[in-house]
Amino acid sequence: MAARDNHGTDAPWKEGFQVVGRAHPKIDGLAKATGQAIYTDDIQLPGMLHVKMLRSPHPHARIIEIDVHQALELEGVHAVLTGADLPKKYGVIPWTPDENALATEKVRFTGDEVCAIAAIDEDTANAALKLLEVKYEQLHAFLDPFDALERSEPQIHDEIRGKEVRGNVSKNVKLEFGDVEAGLEAADAVVDDNYFFHGTTHTAIEPHCAVAQYSPHGVLTVWSSTQITHYVQRALAHVLEIPEAKIRVIQPCLGGAFGGKSDPFALEFVVAKLAMITGRPVKCLWTREEVFYAHRGRHPMHLHYRTGARKDGRLTAVDAKILIDGGSYSSFGLITTYYSGQLLTGPYDFPAYRFDSTRVFTNKPPCGPKRGHGSVQPRFAFEVQLDQIAEKLGIDPIELRRKNFQGEHTETVNGQRITSNGFLRCLDEVERASSWKERRVKLPRGRGLGVAGSMYISGTNYAVYPNAMPQAGVQLQLDRSGLVTVFTGGNDIGQGSNSVARIIVAEELGLDPEDVRVVAADTDLCPVDLGAYSSRVTFMVGNALIDACRKVRKQIVQAVAEDWGVPTARVWMGLGEVFDLEDRERTLSTREAFHLTEERFDTLGATGSYNTPELGGDYRGGTIGASPAYSFTAHVVEVDVDEETGRITVENCWIAHDCGRALNPMLVAGQMEGSAYMGIAEALLESHDVNRFGLHAGPSLLDYRIPTSVDTPELHALIVESLDPEGPYGAKEAGEGPLHPSVPAISNAVFDACGIRLKQLPFTPGAVLTALRAKTGEPAPVRA
Amino acid sequence: MRVSRLNVNGDTFEVAAPEHWTLLEVLRYRMGLIGSKQGCDKGDCGACTVLMDGKPVLSCLTLAALAEGVEVTTIEGLLPAQISAGGAGTDPVQEAFHRCGALQCGFCQPGMILSARALLNENPTPSRQEIRNALAGNLCRCTGYTQIVQAIELAIAEATGGEPENPSWSPGENPWKISHTSPEDLEKAEPT
Amino acid sequence: MLRLPKFQVAAPDSVAEAVALLEQHGEDALVIAGGTDLVPNMKHELFTPELVVSLANIRKLRGIKQAEEGGLTIGAMSTLSDVAASEQVRDGAPALAQAASLVAGPQLRQMGTLGGNVMLDTRCQWYNQTYFWRDALGFCLKKDGTLCHVVAGGNKCVAAASNDTAPALMTLAATLVFEGTGGQREIPIHELFLADGIYNKKVRGEILTAVRIPALAPGHRGAYGKLRERGSIDFPLFGVAARLDVAADETVAYASLAAVALQARPVLLKRSAESLLGLRPGTRDFERGVDEAAELAYRQCRPLDNVPGDSDWRHEMVPVYVRRTLLAALEGSGPVHHV
């Protein structure tokens, strides 16, 4: 870590924060509120063609023959692509390139892309789709991960077969820290149980869309609803076999992502290729159904945990075995498999830990990273198991969690560095706000409170392609008008990263926030940033911005001090003006100060960078899950269980989250509320699965039921600020951590309400009734 | 191809489009009114909500050919309407959504804001439950609806001279009053 | 975007013209009311008409009127939100107002009409899907295929009637006014429906113009209960309307229960309702009667895996919702809904 990467937690000016820490509306809020914001599908270019894709009707099949002639002959059709046109394999993780833009030899799930047609309009492209003829030879379809674990033939990915063929395994990770068996042996209580986390998907309201234009100079421009512009650019270069310098990727306004727009997708390659071969702009907008096939959502996991604890509640060992249903491609699966074990080692301390996680391929829509990537599922299982231990030992569940708190500035059992850690305060906050002590166990039957905690990364030091260059880069332009423009490769996907950039620059340079504009996620204009994933943007781009700002700030202060003939320590910049601290009558506007500085130092601007320090355990995979800082969360959920219908209603959810310093508490609260909402939705309503034919069970927003405003409880965001030594002003992440505890907290609250342990997701009313009957020994009703 | 006379945001346009096009398609791809969004294709998400004679309806399920003779209001129509009504700035609902952080990705919000506007036109002081009921056809995936409900309650409070309830993350003060210190405040500050 | 197939649109301003167009175009024409179900169905290529005949411009199809002989006449094109909000309907047909208030979500109730809901196509998880999806499956009995995926080996379509207002109207003994080239006729609503999921109505080629609800008996109590997963948007997983006429001597003089989202037609639960006759609310006998009604409903109603959702749970909810809806009717509360 260089000096440029660490800026301390203090305000840049000794008078304290002027901008940071207050509720600022977002930089693009009014544009969005008035309908002026431009999203990818809002782009219409003259002469633009529209693309529709032919998808596989089978879950697993070999392609024997594709006949495109009739389709090509249809009036208005300009081109038809098949896998042969884009043969290069790719994968977002360079070690697992197992995807093709369009299927080459095989299709691996129902909905896999086979052909793409560009026509003058969508209707014509649709009509042409029906003229395509594809002959398939159907293969055994793996719909059950246990089948995929056992059975080696056929291989879903025969071309990437490793040295040892065992089932259809995508990745296996086994790691052990400390002596697990001895720990379990020494325990006074061991809980040994199985859990299941089902599949769920992101369901951003904006469907994926991409537009491409190819210039006569051979420059390809792709506008895409991606959350990682840089990786799309790299993947396009790789698949199209043209230099990165000839490719410009732009992310317009993005209508939600949640991890679901992290991978490069078929439509980006297809519009690019079609623009190149037709010489026209090309758009592809996926239908909602196609978005469900694209998926990359939460992996279903079958989880087995054994946890030991002493009488006083202190944990002695944790042993996990996890089967991960990966769907048909690798996507980020290598990371998922590590994360399923690596991210469990906080906020609690345990001396021994082992996990054995296996991801298998199945013939289902591919899984990938969804908000809380890889760690929401094990967190669910483990936090329920902690409650089972508390029950066994007769300890209050919050107390049990306090007793096992790992502390600040420590190291986890798997060698991860923990810096700031406000978890205890999170527990205090939810305990107080929910009146836990007064109400838990004492609520009327059917009402209950449950707690859960969690930890999550603020970025990772594992870039998906190994390199020593900065993970975040920014550039500032200081204009003579007094305006500062930020250029950042960071992707604002609705979480507000551009607004965070504005706040930081306004704070550093003493500007009115309105005088900061942000140009983001355009590979031609912006320095590389690795994009919006792993909760990295505030932390990394924030630090890079401070780095850049301090370079120009030094120049401005020097120029003004020289002009005034005072020591630099007397110059203070705040909210659009520059002051002499000892002579308050002497001021300049920022604009005037910029002029002075430009006269003294020439054209103003600076770059800034951030890179993570060396982190992680000294073992294979030890850097995966290593983060410069971790966020911590505790939830208390209040449920009402209707024991006659089995329906669980979440009445309240108190969310206490340690985000380091809250740069903009309103945005932090929005992330916390949105995360909790999404977790509650996964627990109670949503299920992403295929039916017995291997077809998606309900690829629509009618059948994949995300909660409406009347299904969403009152969400109470309680911000805890621990001030991280390496975060920008002490900030950490807020966008993913606060999802984790909502799922187990509901299960734990249901136990408090009516004494049943829900260990299989989703918690459907039918499952609740079954569990209630199992408890009382009442037989299930017979269908007469 | 059919030429429809559509009254959109106060003006009447003659628009030619194939007869099977929906109002959403005509608004977006013929008239360039891209503020109305498409999220689900078929009436499940509410992102395409527009007002027809003041009532919220789904433009993705409305045939453009059948939208003649009614007043259509899209999200683009609120700001000009506010100006022609002699108001300053955007519609107070838009302003409140902005100030409360209710716009994350923003994709559902044109529809959400129009549903909220229709509600307040009909009932200027709805309860929280009535607000939630009125928004129950507009899916939002970002906010958990909390800041949306807060925004509508802020708009109501400011229209009626009441005080909005402070959010849980700012129990001591109304965070939406002042977004940041003004330069005047700074001048008043004593050097430390 | 998911596109509509190509068609022409006609928007006549009289029923006679509309009926003439239907006659002229036969199976190539379809009537569109609010479009909230037909438009998605056309996007799914379940219907690919050449002509869509809109009723939107026929003014006489709108409006809710008190009939001279008592009761209500509701124009078929009255929107569900108007029906739900109407004081006349809330007083004169409480179960209907409640059912209308729970159809889909707010915007769809502004668009959707009472007539459209009565005439709603049946629904099934293997049917209400895109062409691609249905093709991948090899289609189904209801559309383009020969196999039923709900009942293995089944040769009769069991797609579910999913119209919330139908059971309410059945308990209210409503009649439906249809107009065709042969003129106008009025039939009781319970005679409209057939046990055939492919097309579950006896009437073809005629237009539903009005719904008539007879004057309420003294002591009428009505309510609607709807089971669904979310508190909005979703179709019913089970719906039940209840009616109790409590006579001057405070006993139940008439009772009616009707249910929907089971099989192809909404059903009257006759025996179930009869178990309440002559009982006096507030007594142990009445409580037992309610339990018996619930139990009989459980036996009569057999949810299938036609609509999404756990059919065993839906079955278990039948007696719960029957009981709760009866009690809500009695108390003058309702609708019975989880939010």
Side-chain angles (χ1 to χ4, degrees), chain A residues 18 22 26 32-33 39 41-42 123 201-203 256 288 494 575 666 669-671 674 686 707 709 714 717, chain B residues 20 28-29 37 39 41 94 98-99 103-106 128 132-133 140-142 145 147 168-169 180-181 186:
Chain A
Q18 304 301 325
R22 294 161 199 261
K26 289 177 60 183
K32 287 173 172 172
Y39 297 74
D41 183 45
D42 300 337
D123 287 343
T201 199
H202 319 82
T203 333
R288 174 55 54 182
L575 293 171
M666 186 165 74
Q671 289 304 304
E686 297 172 17
S709 52
E714 291 292 324
Chain B
H20 64 290
R28 286 181 56 78
Y29 306 125
K37 299 303 183 198
D41 298 311
Q94 292 174 311
H98 173 56
R99 281 162 59 200
L103 298 135
Q104 287 193 25
C105 85
R128 181 169 292 184
R132 286 190 177 269
N133 290 346
C140 170
R141 196 55 165 167
C142 293
Y145 305 99
Q147 292 182 331
S168 56
W169 48 271
H180 56 75
T181 317
L186 269 187

Side-chain angles (χ1 to χ4, degrees), chain A residues 595-619:
Chain A
H595 291 190
L596 276 180
T597 315
E598 194 173 332
E599 286 164 12
R600 171 75 175 75
F601 291 106
D602 294 339
T603 301
L604 296 180
T607 61
S609 302
Y610 174 78
N611 219 343
T612 49
E614 292 261 323
L615 291 170
D618 186 17
Y619 51 87

